[in-house]
Amino acid sequence: MYLVDTNVISELRKGVKADAGVRRFWRQAPPDSHFVAVQTVGELRAGVESIRLRGDRAQADRLEAWLRTAMTEIAERILPFDADCAEVWGTLMARDPHNPIDKQIAAIALIHDLIVVTRNAEDFDGTGAKIVNPFS
């Protein structure tokens, strides 16, 4: 079971132009084994809004449509950041206060016994979370 990070979801949006390793990972893992942290939803939304704020409305509208579709498809597999996650996150932050959002994602992975799928494995160093980097 996998907790898919923002950079992997963003890469998948590229379709056939996406990294071959990411496409291979996505095809090989059963669809119901992919989960997303609520923080990823926020990061994807921030990306859409940043593009909108810089004035590229057409691109923002395309990404908005993609985001709505993606979130609808995975809605039942979006994991919240609850009190148990907050307890783990606090412990992780006390050890190393860098990358607080990634530490929240790590806490969710640890609570749910999921493997984090990310390009940025180093951001999860020292958390105890299992990591897979599908990028080739």
Side-chain angles (χ1 to χ4, degrees):
M1 304 292 258
Y2 303 98
L3 187 59
V4 183
D5 198 9
T6 308
N7 53 53
V8 175
I9 296 289
S10 295
E11 186 68 20
L12 286 166
R13 185 190 66 76
K14 298 176 184 176
V16 297
K17 294 180 180 180
D19 178 86
V22 172
R23 290 193 329 261
R24 186 172 35 261
F25 166 79
W26 201 256
R27 279 192 316 268
Q28 291 175 350
D32 62 347
S33 69
H34 303 122
F35 292 84
V36 171
V38 70
Q39 289 81 350
T40 294
V41 175
E43 289 180 326
L44 292 169
R45 168 56 59 196
V48 171
E49 297 308 321
S50 292
I51 290 168
R52 189 179 321 279
L53 287 171
R54 75 172 189 229
D56 191 346
R57 184 170 178 84
Q59 177 67 358
D61 289 347
R62 282 190 293 277
L63 289 173
E64 176 75 33
W66 167 80
L67 181 58
R68 283 188 192 151
T69 300
M71 292 304 103
T72 298
E73 289 173 3
I74 201 164
E76 293 179 10
R77 293 187 310 276
I78 297 172
L79 297 176
F81 185 78
D82 61 14
D84 290 336
C85 295
E87 291 278 344
V88 172
W89 176 75
T91 301
L92 296 175
M93 288 299 292
R95 292 183 203 148
D96 177 9
H98 297 92
N99 305 311
I101 292 176
D102 290 329
K103 295 245 179 6
Q104 290 176 1
I105 292 169
I108 292 170
L110 291 165
I111 289 291
H112 295 280
D113 195 27
L114 299 173
I115 299 167
V116 177
V117 183
T118 184
R119 170 182 265 162
N120 303 331
E122 66 281 352
D123 292 345
F124 294 87
D125 285 349
T127 65
K130 297 176 210 145
I131 306 295
V132 168
N133 181 350
F135 286 82
S136 53

